[in-house]
Amino acid sequence: MAVLKVQNSEIIRNNPVLKSVTQTSERIVDAGLKADTTSFTGRAPNVQEVSEMISEYTPGFLNGMKKMKDNISEFQNIMINSLGTGLIAPIFIKWNPLSKTDEDTRTYTAWRQPVSAALAIGTQAAITLPFAHAIKNMAKEGMFSEKLNETPYKNADEFLKNLRDKNKIVYTTKNLKGITSTSNMDEQSLNNLINHTFDDLIATEEKAIKHYSEYIKQRASQGEYFSKNADSAKEYFSKIQTELKDISSSKDARLYFNKQIKDLKNSNADKELVSMVENLRDMAAYNPKTKPSVWDKIFRRKPNIENAEEINKTIIELINSEINKITKENGLIDKYRGKTAEEIQEIAKNSLKQEVDECTKARDYLKTLKENFAKNKLTVKDIEKNILDNMSSNSRFKNKEFAKEILATLKKYTGNNISVFKQISGMGVSLAMLPVTCALLNWVYPRFMDIFFPGLSSRNKAAKANAEKGGDK
Amino acid sequence: MSILMKGINKIGNTSFFKYPLKALDHLGVVNKFDSKAWNSDKTQAVITGLGIASLVLKDGLGCYLYVNQSLHNKKIPEDKRKFVAALDLTNGGLMIALQLLAYATISHKLVQSKAFAKLFGKYISAPAKKCYKAIIDKKFIQKGMKPSTNKVFNESVAEYENSARKAFAHFSSLIAATIIGKRVLVPFIATPLADKAKQMMDKNSEK
């Protein structure tokens, strides 16, 4: 489970889109929740601790689905597939109302499915799965060539040390006899890897800029609505605030907002207003448990039911504070009240100006540094020093280490190479196994029917025919 | 790891599996990062392409082999042999068609993303995340820790969302394509079609 979490966080780190969304939404969430970490003692939780906590405080069915996927093994997957072939498919062959073929023939044919499913389980467990495991182990032990070799980052600290001190990536290769040797990644490959790392970082910034511009557009549309409907909006949200005083649970808040949304849609209200109410409704997405759910019973979890009241209070407080941001003096409504289209655009743009500026500066700086790297043959150490000297005040570079980014890129590319290799070898294995499984089915199936269903098979018929012939005589 | 998976792992560690893989590696079937590196989109596109090629090749060849062997299998009663082969033929053809259809519909990135947003979007929207953060931060403070930093929270929540999306993709494809499509729809349509295919086979053999 922990391994899976680490893998997932690597996926995010390695995926420029997810990474950009993460970094962008960081500021968006920031705008509403400025957590003052200075007034608290102790350490801040890490990704794993937060992930575990998120699983605890998000809707049960999402967690249930996630947990089922996380815990399902390759073999269980094969079993599900085979059970479908063996148990469901025969029903639609034997009892098919559209078929005109006699029932005996359909029954005889239907039995081919479970026999085929049983053989599939056997061959996949004996051949397909061991191949997949062999690839995994060989890549880990360095038994493949460099493009499929996972040894450089077996020890992340050593990888970073080699890269920073010697500007090298070291591979350990093991032959089939178990003899190991070491080699360095060639200069051209290392240069390309660094260039790709730059490209990924630049792409992350570009995605973040695009993301912010979409947020600015959203804020401007909201502003346009407030500029024209300031009084009615204030009245509407104040009414909501008053009515919310009687609501004390997240569930009731969600029901209340659902009704509001329905009423707004029925009265053809402006879609901006509907969307704002939908956002308030979504804040009540989590319904704290007062008793263990079905999922808890299935997965033997112990939910924190004693915290329900406190969580409900937090959610309602947060919804109220969101509405306050809209209705308070000099809040969102007042900010946009009576403004012209140009002024609205300006206000929306300014609200995320610092974020967009930082991303733009980071992108331009990375582009220049990439050129500088090619021209002056900078080492990884030089690049890291350059970033530290020039970009330490830019939040986009906070906690960002270039050597670690190279490690992530190498992991991603090697992982992708392995995935493609797996797919190709899997295809080869399946094709090679086809004549074998086919011949096996043709051998087993009629014999299985002879033994277990002699009434449907030829053996019985032949015996019957012989008996009839004998009788005639 | 279960005993069974341990056994499978052990089998995979034998030379029988390692030699052919090593040979395949020497053929250089995947590129390095010296020309055009694999990015995630490119990898996914290649895997999808290979998956389609694989199913057409595998199911196509499988269909041919099964039909051929069934038709010539003297152990299957003669009156049923042609129907068994006809069902192999219609089943194989429909299976390829259905899987191609699934690739273009239920398993498609766009469809997946829209279906996930429709079903679960509100539970992972920005306002919902804001609430999750407030709730979990209170818990951390109660434990004597600092609230989560925005960077760590967003990374964790993106991780959660990513694995929830993967789980949804897995189960929606499993239910729609593998169980309902391949095991319900295909045999349901393939069986009456096999009647027709058998009639054609009968006509051909009469000629």
Side-chain angles (χ1 to χ4, degrees):
Chain A
M1 194 62 194
V3 173
L4 206 99
K5 275 181 180 144
V6 172
Q7 279 171 350
N8 279 337
S9 77
E10 271 162 20
I11 291 166
I12 294 154
R13 275 195 291 276
N14 296 340
N15 185 326
V17 181
L18 280 174
K19 208 158 133 185
S20 123
V21 171
T22 303
Q23 289 175 347
T24 310
S25 59
E26 191 174 312
R27 299 236 169 68
I28 305 298
V29 172
D30 232 1
L33 270 165
K34 289 256 184 219
D36 178 12
T37 53
T38 51
S39 56
F40 300 100
T41 53
R43 64 177 178 84
N46 59 33
V47 173
Q48 196 170 328
E49 287 164 329
V50 175
S51 294
E52 273 165 24
M53 200 69 108
I54 287 172
S55 296
E56 213 173 306
Y57 294 105
T58 39
F61 53 88
L62 258 183
N63 285 321
M65 188 172 73
K66 218 168 74 65
K67 208 149 199 163
M68 261 166 85
K69 169 78 172 69
D70 291 348
N71 293 328
I72 211 161
S73 74
E74 293 152 298
F75 191 73
Q76 281 166 324
N77 254 331
I78 292 173
M79 286 299 287
I80 292 171
N81 216 335
S82 298
L83 281 177
T85 314
L87 300 177
I88 304 172
I91 297 170
F92 292 91
I93 298 173
K94 181 170 161 59
W95 290 285
N96 196 310
L98 304 175
S99 176
K100 290 184 182 99
T101 300
D102 66 284
E103 205 188 330
D104 264 12
T105 307
R106 274 187 281 131
T107 311
Y108 186 89
T109 315
W111 271 104
R112 197 169 153 89
Q113 303 291 325
V115 176
S116 151
L119 289 175
I121 295 173
T123 49
Q124 297 211 41
I127 305 289
T128 319
L129 283 183
F131 263 113
H133 279 255
I135 294 173
K136 205 167 131 191
N137 293 336
M138 287 169 80
K140 217 187 273 175
E141 289 172 26
M143 296 182 95
F144 288 128
S145 53
E146 283 182 10
K147 60 188 179 287
L148 303 169
N149 190 320
E150 293 187 307
T151 58
Y153 41 84
K154 220 174 190 174
N155 183 335
D157 291 335
E158 213 172 286
F159 176 93
L160 296 172
K161 198 173 181 303
N162 277 330
L163 202 54
R164 283 173 177 145
D165 296 350
K166 300 176 195 160
N167 210 45
K168 279 184 171 31
I169 291 178
V170 184
Y171 283 94
T172 306
T173 317
K174 194 178 185 182
N175 68 15
L176 287 170
K177 286 174 187 157
I179 300 162
T180 56
S181 58
T182 55
S183 60
N184 295 330
M185 180 187 274
D186 65 272
E187 206 186 320
Q188 186 58 43
S189 293
L190 181 61
N191 284 344
N192 285 326
L193 183 65
I194 294 173
N195 271 321
H196 288 306
T197 306
F198 272 120
D199 290 342
D200 280 356
L201 290 173
I202 292 165
T204 304
E205 296 310 317
E206 268 163 2
K207 291 253 161 64
I209 293 167
K210 201 175 155 204
H211 205 70
Y212 280 130
S213 76
E214 274 159 23
Y215 266 99
I216 290 170
K217 253 189 221 163
Q218 274 177 29
R219 287 187 181 185
S221 321
Q222 218 175 62
E224 224 158 274
Y225 173 76
F226 287 142
S227 79
K228 290 173 194 147
N229 306 282
D231 289 332
S232 59
K234 208 160 204 170
E235 195 183 320
Y236 179 75
F237 283 107
S238 303
K239 183 197 93 173
I240 285 186
Q241 221 162 6
T242 314
E243 286 172 354
L244 261 182
K245 280 180 186 150
D246 298 330
I247 293 171
S248 56
S249 77
S250 174
K251 190 181 172 187
D252 288 344
R254 201 166 62 231
L255 291 173
Y256 169 77
F257 283 120
N258 273 334
K259 193 184 171 297
Q260 292 295 320
I261 293 162
K262 201 175 162 193
D263 290 348
L264 285 173
K265 282 183 178 168
N266 284 341
S267 60
N268 285 327
D270 193 290
K271 68 176 183 0
E272 280 307 323
L273 180 64
V274 177
S275 149
M276 281 184 263
V277 181
E278 279 173 343
N279 282 347
L280 293 173
R281 188 259 328 261
D282 290 353
M283 293 186 86
Y286 179 63
N287 180 20
K289 288 168 188 167
T290 47
K291 57 179 183 186
S293 69
V294 179
W295 293 109
D296 292 325
K297 283 172 190 160
I298 292 173
F299 297 111
R300 293 178 197 164
R301 291 185 308 203
K302 282 182 188 160
N304 288 324
I305 43 179
E306 71 274 14
N307 293 327
E309 201 181 319
E310 190 195 323
I311 293 170
N312 275 323
K313 208 175 143 201
T314 308
I315 292 172
I316 302 292
E317 271 173 13
L318 215 62
I319 293 173
N320 266 315
S321 108
E322 278 302 300
I323 302 174
N324 250 336
K325 273 187 215 160
I326 299 171
T327 54
K328 71 176 179 188
E329 222 181 298
N330 295 324
L332 277 175
I333 294 177
D334 289 347
K335 213 158 119 186
Y336 289 104
R337 182 190 289 271
K339 294 282 189 266
T340 63
E342 289 79 27
E343 284 168 333
I344 292 166
Q345 287 296 331
E346 204 53 35
I347 297 169
K349 228 186 231 176
N350 282 337
S351 68
L352 287 167
K353 191 178 181 308
Q354 193 198 335
E355 286 82 357
V356 175
D357 281 354
E358 282 196 326
C359 290
T360 314
K361 271 182 198 157
R363 180 198 59 193
D364 296 344
Y365 167 76
L366 284 165
K367 279 185 178 172
T368 316
L369 188 58
K370 187 188 167 193
E371 282 167 18
N372 197 2
F373 159 71
K375 222 187 275 171
N376 301 318
K377 293 194 171 172
L378 299 179
T379 62
V380 173
K381 201 174 187 175
D382 296 335
I383 294 170
E384 286 198 320
K385 191 179 175 306
N386 200 317
I387 294 174
L388 201 69
D389 290 347
N390 297 296
M391 284 285 134
S392 54
S393 61
N394 187 322
S395 74
R396 301 295 298 174
F397 289 89
K398 199 176 156 193
N399 299 327
K400 204 169 265 180
E401 294 172 46
F402 195 76
K404 280 188 181 170
E405 298 295 329
I406 295 176
L407 170 66
T409 312
L410 179 66
K411 262 188 189 178
K412 179 175 74 177
Y413 288 158
T414 310
N416 288 343
N417 279 339
I418 294 169
S419 300
V420 175
F421 184 78
K422 248 186 202 168
Q423 186 80 10
I424 293 170
S425 58
M427 192 166 107
V429 172
S430 301
L431 283 173
M433 284 301 292
L434 251 182
V436 181
T437 46
C438 182
L440 206 60
L441 179 65
N442 263 288
W443 191 87
V444 174
Y445 168 59
R447 283 164 180 81
F448 171 88
M449 295 304 287
D450 277 355
I451 296 166
F452 294 102
F453 301 94
L456 296 169
S457 77
S458 55
R459 202 168 61 178
N460 193 44
K461 277 214 158 167
K464 228 184 195 175
N466 279 339
E468 273 169 16
K469 268 183 195 171
D472 289 344
K473 275 175 191 175
Chain B
M1 205 191 263
S2 67
I3 297 171
L4 189 82
M5 291 313 280
K6 272 183 191 163
I8 287 169
N9 201 25
K10 216 170 179 180
I11 300 172
N13 262 332
T14 58
S15 307
F16 177 78
F17 292 93
K18 285 181 176 173
Y19 274 109
L21 288 171
K22 188 92 183 150
L24 190 66
D25 177 35
H26 281 305
L27 287 177
V29 285
V30 287
N31 71 354
K32 225 175 174 179
F33 13 85
D34 44 18
S35 54
K36 259 188 153 187
W38 299 116
N39 56 39
S40 297
D41 286 344
K42 189 183 165 194
T43 310
Q44 205 43 57
V46 171
I47 289 179
T48 307
L50 283 169
I52 294 171
S54 167
L55 85 89
V56 172
L57 269 173
K58 202 177 75 182
D59 287 7
L61 178 69
C63 180
Y64 169 78
L65 288 173
Y66 282 118
V67 172
N68 201 32
Q69 291 208 21
S70 295
L71 274 177
H72 298 100
N73 193 338
K74 298 277 187 282
K75 289 286 284 178
I76 298 175
E78 208 180 335
D79 58 325
K80 296 182 176 69
R81 204 177 297 156
K82 275 188 186 150
F83 187 75
V84 171
L87 192 64
D88 277 337
L89 179 71
T90 52
N91 211 33
L94 282 172
M95 206 73 104
I96 296 174
L98 184 112
Q99 286 178 94
L100 290 175
L101 188 73
Y103 265 119
T105 55
I106 187 81
S107 309
H108 197 276
K109 217 165 92 180
L110 208 76
V111 178
Q112 277 289 322
S113 150
K114 285 209 165 159
F116 188 85
K118 181 93 190 150
L119 290 168
F120 306 111
K122 59 185 169 193
Y123 300 107
I124 45 159
S125 63
K129 286 173 190 167
K130 209 182 267 190
C131 260
Y132 299 146
K133 186 169 187 327
I135 296 166
I136 68 166
D137 279 351
K138 274 202 170 176
K139 297 286 144 206
F140 284 123
I141 293 164
Q142 278 169 6
K143 281 182 174 181
M145 292 166 89
K146 284 180 184 169
S148 58
T149 62
N150 288 312
K151 185 178 184 290
V152 165
F153 176 79
N154 286 299
E155 200 170 299
S156 312
V157 95
E159 177 186 308
Y160 177 84
E161 191 178 330
N162 187 39
S163 62
R165 277 181 195 279
K166 279 190 172 173
F168 175 69
H170 178 84
F171 289 112
S172 58
S173 297
L174 182 78
I175 295 166
T178 312
I179 297 180
I180 298 177
K182 280 164 83 174
R183 312 298 171 215
V184 175
L185 279 179
V186 168
F188 190 76
I189 306 168
T191 313
L193 275 181
D195 296 346
K196 306 256 181 252
K198 185 181 169 279
Q199 280 168 14
M200 278 169 70
M201 284 178 188
D202 285 339
K203 267 186 198 167
N204 283 340
S205 54
E206 275 168 23
K207 280 176 194 171

